[in-house]
Amino acid sequence: WFGPQQATWMAQLRAESDNLRAALAWLLDEAAGAARVRTGTKLLRGIFRSMEVRGRIDEARTWYARALPRRSCLSLAMQVRMLSNAGWLAQIQGEYGAANTFYEDGLALARRTGDPELISLMLHSLGAAAGRQGNYHRAEATLSEAVTIEREASKGAMTPQLAALLNNLSIVVRYLGDYER
């Protein structure tokens, strides 16, 4: 997605749109077994960004709506990532209630895994959504918790995730008037 072949891959994905839809329809069919659903969710996550940047938000949300009710056959980590993406898609369309529900569900699952990366991801998502809704105190609390987790996980090293968190936290504390922080 971020490499020098981005335009080539986007063109290829665009050319294969009908085939990808047919594959998703078969993989996420109501009669599909767990193995097909797992493969379908991997495919859906794999093409998520291309659907987002092409403005195919409604379509992506439709596929997530088909996949999420069947998520019990997925690992907890995959469920968290699916909920994160579904939340982002809802948030893009200004449906913060739905986004927050996805994020809260994802955070509960992430905490069950004990995986700091997943917990941080969901806290970041909740905090960013709260900030976009003007709930800066909630945003500050969740983003600060995510920063703490990310710093511990990275052993003090600056990672892309930590940089994004600090950026979003700085925006929130600015809105709160804490300019020194």
Side-chain angles (χ1 to χ4, degrees), residues 116-117 120-121 124 146-168:
E117 177 188 340
S120 176
L121 168 68
H124 191 172
V147 165
T148 299
I149 291 168
E150 200 63 46
R151 280 189 170 140
E152 289 173 9
S154 68
K155 297 177 176 55
M158 183 57 68
T159 65
Q161 296 84 357
L162 181 57
L165 276 165
L166 290 170
N167 178 67
N168 286 337

Side-chain angles (χ1 to χ4, degrees), residues 22-40:
L24 284 170
W26 182 75
L27 291 164
L28 299 175
D29 182 82
E30 290 179 11
R36 274 182 29 202
V37 171
R38 284 191 293 272
T39 301

Side-chain angles (χ1 to χ4, degrees), residues 12-118:
Q12 183 68 33
L13 287 171
R14 190 172 25 260
E16 295 294 337
S17 290
D18 290 339
N19 289 331
L20 291 168
R21 282 186 195 100
L24 284 170
W26 182 75
L27 291 164
L28 299 175
D29 182 82
E30 290 179 11
R36 274 182 29 202
V37 171
R38 284 191 293 272
T39 301
T41 58
K42 287 178 189 174
L43 174 58
L44 183 55
R45 280 199 26 87
I47 63 173
F48 169 77
R49 289 287 178 219
S50 69
M51 294 178 81
E52 177 192 6
V53 299
R54 290 178 52 217
R56 303 189 72 90
I57 308 305
D58 286 334
E59 179 182 358
R61 288 187 76 184
T62 298
W63 291 118
Y64 276 86
R66 284 180 79 173
L68 284 171
R70 315 257 327 266
R71 71 182 191 228
S72 64
C73 67
L74 305 174
S75 69
L76 288 179
M78 181 60 104
Q79 290 182 53
V80 170
R81 289 183 177 97
M82 292 288 290
L83 289 163
S84 174
N85 287 358
W88 176 243
L89 292 168
Q91 194 177 156
I92 289 171
Q93 293 186 321
E95 294 183 25
Y96 290 104
N100 289 337
T101 298
F102 288 129
Y103 294 150
E104 291 286 354
D105 290 350
L107 179 58
L109 291 176
R111 289 192 192 283
R112 282 181 46 199
T113 71
D115 183 331
E117 177 188 340
L118 294 174

